[in-house]
Amino acid sequence: MENGLFTNEITILGIGNTILSDEGFGVRVVEYLQKSFNFPDNVSLIDGGTLGIELTQFVTGTKKLLIIDSIDGGKPAGTIFQFVGDEIKKHFNEKISAHEVGIQDVLTMLELTGKTIPEVVVIGAQPFSLEAGIELTPQMKEILPIIADKAVEILKSWNVF
Protein backbone atom coordinates (compact mmCIF):
# COMPACT_ATOMS: atom_id res chain seq x y z
CA MET A 1 0.00 0.00 0.00
CA GLU A 2 1.19 3.45 -0.85
CA ASN A 3 -0.47 6.50 0.71
CA GLY A 4 -3.18 4.16 1.98
CA LEU A 5 -4.03 3.03 -1.54
CA PHE A 6 -3.69 -0.36 -3.12
CA THR A 7 -0.68 -0.64 -5.44
CA ASN A 8 -0.35 -4.22 -6.71
CA GLU A 9 0.31 -4.38 -10.42
CA ILE A 10 -2.46 -6.90 -11.13
CA THR A 11 -5.77 -7.35 -9.32
CA ILE A 12 -8.25 -10.19 -9.76
CA LEU A 13 -11.58 -9.07 -8.36
CA GLY A 14 -14.45 -11.49 -7.82
CA ILE A 15 -17.77 -9.82 -7.15
CA GLY A 16 -21.26 -11.01 -6.31
CA ASN A 17 -23.65 -11.90 -3.54
CA THR A 18 -22.80 -15.36 -2.20
CA ILE A 19 -26.19 -15.86 -0.56
CA LEU A 20 -28.04 -15.68 -3.89
CA SER A 21 -26.73 -18.88 -5.53
CA ASP A 22 -25.26 -18.02 -8.97
CA GLU A 23 -25.03 -14.31 -8.12
CA GLY A 24 -21.93 -15.23 -6.07
CA PHE A 25 -20.16 -16.69 -9.11
CA GLY A 26 -17.31 -14.16 -9.27
CA VAL A 27 -16.42 -14.71 -5.63
CA ARG A 28 -16.51 -18.49 -6.10
CA VAL A 29 -14.18 -18.30 -9.12
CA VAL A 30 -11.67 -16.23 -7.12
CA GLU A 31 -11.83 -18.81 -4.29
CA TYR A 32 -11.16 -21.56 -6.86
CA LEU A 33 -8.19 -19.65 -8.30
CA GLN A 34 -6.74 -19.10 -4.80
CA LYS A 35 -6.92 -22.83 -4.05
CA SER A 36 -5.64 -23.94 -7.46
CA PHE A 37 -2.71 -21.62 -8.20
CA ASN A 38 0.21 -19.90 -6.53
CA PHE A 39 0.29 -16.25 -7.51
CA PRO A 40 3.32 -13.97 -7.47
CA ASP A 41 3.47 -11.10 -5.00
CA ASN A 42 2.44 -8.51 -7.63
CA VAL A 43 -0.98 -10.18 -8.01
CA SER A 44 -3.80 -9.67 -5.55
CA LEU A 45 -7.00 -11.73 -5.44
CA ILE A 46 -9.93 -9.94 -3.84
CA ASP A 47 -13.38 -11.11 -2.75
CA GLY A 48 -15.25 -7.92 -3.56
CA GLY A 49 -18.63 -9.32 -2.57
CA THR A 50 -21.19 -6.56 -3.07
CA LEU A 51 -19.05 -3.67 -1.85
CA GLY A 52 -19.79 -1.37 -4.79
CA ILE A 53 -18.08 2.02 -4.64
CA GLU A 54 -16.03 0.91 -1.62
CA LEU A 55 -14.05 -1.27 -4.04
CA THR A 56 -12.21 1.88 -5.17
CA GLN A 57 -9.75 1.54 -2.29
CA PHE A 58 -8.85 -1.99 -3.41
CA VAL A 59 -8.24 -1.25 -7.09
CA THR A 60 -6.77 2.28 -7.11
CA GLY A 61 -3.20 2.06 -8.35
CA THR A 62 -3.46 -1.34 -10.00
CA LYS A 63 -2.27 -1.50 -13.61
CA LYS A 64 -4.35 -4.46 -14.77
CA LEU A 65 -7.74 -5.42 -13.38
CA LEU A 66 -9.58 -8.66 -14.06
CA ILE A 67 -13.19 -8.56 -12.84
CA ILE A 68 -15.07 -11.86 -12.55
CA ASP A 69 -18.83 -11.78 -12.08
CA SER A 70 -22.16 -13.36 -12.87
CA ILE A 71 -23.27 -11.23 -15.80
CA ASP A 72 -26.79 -10.41 -16.86
CA GLY A 73 -26.22 -9.99 -20.56
CA GLY A 74 -29.79 -10.86 -21.52
CA LYS A 75 -28.62 -14.16 -23.01
CA PRO A 76 -29.45 -17.79 -22.19
CA ALA A 77 -28.23 -19.06 -18.83
CA GLY A 78 -24.67 -20.29 -19.05
CA THR A 79 -23.60 -17.87 -21.78
CA ILE A 80 -19.99 -16.83 -21.23
CA PHE A 81 -19.01 -13.17 -21.57
CA GLN A 82 -15.79 -11.24 -21.91
CA PHE A 83 -15.70 -7.45 -22.11
CA VAL A 84 -12.70 -5.18 -22.71
CA GLY A 85 -12.26 -1.47 -23.32
CA ASP A 86 -15.39 0.40 -24.39
CA GLU A 87 -17.45 -2.82 -24.19
CA ILE A 88 -17.16 -2.61 -20.39
CA LYS A 89 -18.69 0.86 -20.17
CA LYS A 90 -21.44 -0.09 -22.62
CA HIS A 91 -22.36 -3.19 -20.62
CA PHE A 92 -22.28 -1.57 -17.19
CA ASN A 93 -24.14 1.55 -18.36
CA GLU A 94 -27.11 -0.70 -19.14
CA LYS A 95 -27.15 -2.50 -15.77
CA ILE A 96 -29.15 -1.80 -12.67
CA SER A 97 -27.98 -4.43 -10.16
CA ALA A 98 -26.26 -2.95 -7.11
CA HIS A 99 -22.80 -4.39 -7.61
CA GLU A 100 -22.75 -3.78 -11.36
CA VAL A 101 -23.67 -0.14 -10.80
CA GLY A 102 -20.95 -0.10 -8.13
CA ILE A 103 -18.31 -1.34 -10.57
CA GLN A 104 -19.30 1.31 -13.10
CA ASP A 105 -19.09 3.94 -10.34
CA VAL A 106 -15.62 2.71 -9.36
CA LEU A 107 -14.30 2.82 -12.93
CA THR A 108 -15.87 6.24 -13.53
CA MET A 109 -14.47 7.65 -10.28
CA LEU A 110 -10.99 6.43 -11.15
CA GLU A 111 -11.31 8.00 -14.59
CA LEU A 112 -12.52 11.33 -13.20
CA THR A 113 -9.68 11.47 -10.67
CA GLY A 114 -7.02 10.69 -13.28
CA LYS A 115 -6.35 7.24 -11.82
CA THR A 116 -7.73 5.17 -14.68
CA ILE A 117 -6.65 1.53 -14.67
CA PRO A 118 -4.76 1.03 -17.94
CA GLU A 119 -6.15 -2.44 -18.66
CA VAL A 120 -9.49 -3.83 -17.48
CA VAL A 121 -11.12 -7.10 -18.52
CA VAL A 122 -14.47 -8.42 -17.29
CA ILE A 123 -15.35 -12.11 -17.61
CA GLY A 124 -18.27 -14.15 -16.35
CA ALA A 125 -21.40 -16.07 -17.21
CA GLN A 126 -25.14 -15.56 -17.36
CA PRO A 127 -26.58 -17.02 -14.12
CA PHE A 128 -29.03 -19.91 -14.03
CA SER A 129 -30.58 -18.86 -10.71
CA LEU A 130 -30.58 -15.91 -8.33
CA GLU A 131 -32.61 -17.73 -5.69
CA ALA A 132 -31.51 -17.64 -2.06
CA GLY A 133 -28.80 -20.21 -1.42
CA ILE A 134 -25.10 -20.33 -0.64
CA GLU A 135 -24.19 -22.87 -3.34
CA LEU A 136 -23.88 -22.32 -7.07
CA THR A 137 -26.32 -24.29 -9.20
CA PRO A 138 -24.86 -27.52 -10.64
CA GLN A 139 -24.83 -25.93 -14.11
CA MET A 140 -22.89 -22.88 -12.88
CA LYS A 141 -20.45 -25.16 -11.03
CA GLU A 142 -19.69 -26.77 -14.41
CA ILE A 143 -18.89 -23.35 -15.91
CA LEU A 144 -16.63 -22.31 -13.01
CA PRO A 145 -13.48 -24.13 -14.26
CA ILE A 146 -14.09 -22.81 -17.79
CA ILE A 147 -14.09 -19.22 -16.49
CA ALA A 148 -11.08 -20.00 -14.29
CA ASP A 149 -9.23 -21.24 -17.41
CA LYS A 150 -10.22 -18.04 -19.22
CA ALA A 151 -8.85 -16.04 -16.27
CA VAL A 152 -5.58 -17.98 -16.46
CA GLU A 153 -5.35 -17.26 -20.22
CA ILE A 154 -5.73 -13.54 -19.51
CA LEU A 155 -3.18 -13.71 -16.70
CA LYS A 156 -0.72 -15.52 -19.00
CA SER A 157 -1.14 -12.71 -21.54
CA TRP A 158 -0.23 -10.37 -18.66
CA ASN A 159 2.90 -12.48 -17.95
CA VAL A 160 1.69 -13.70 -14.55
CA PHE A 161 2.42 -17.35 -15.33
Side-chain angles (χ1 to χ4, degrees), residues 10 13 21 45 55 61-62 76 81 83 89 92 96 100 108 120 135-136 149 154:
I10 297 170
L13 175 64
S21 56
L45 286 86
L55 291 169
T62 197
F81 298 95
F83 301 111
K89 280 187 180 181
F92 285 118
I96 57 170
E100 287 185 317
T108 299
V120 180
E135 296 287 328
L136 296 175
D149 287 346
I154 293 164

Side-chain angles (χ1 to χ4, degrees), residues 15-25 27 49-50 99 133:
I15 56 176
N17 189 335
T18 57
I19 62 169
L20 295 177
S21 56
D22 293 346
E23 170 67 16
F25 184 68
V27 172
T50 57
H99 67 90

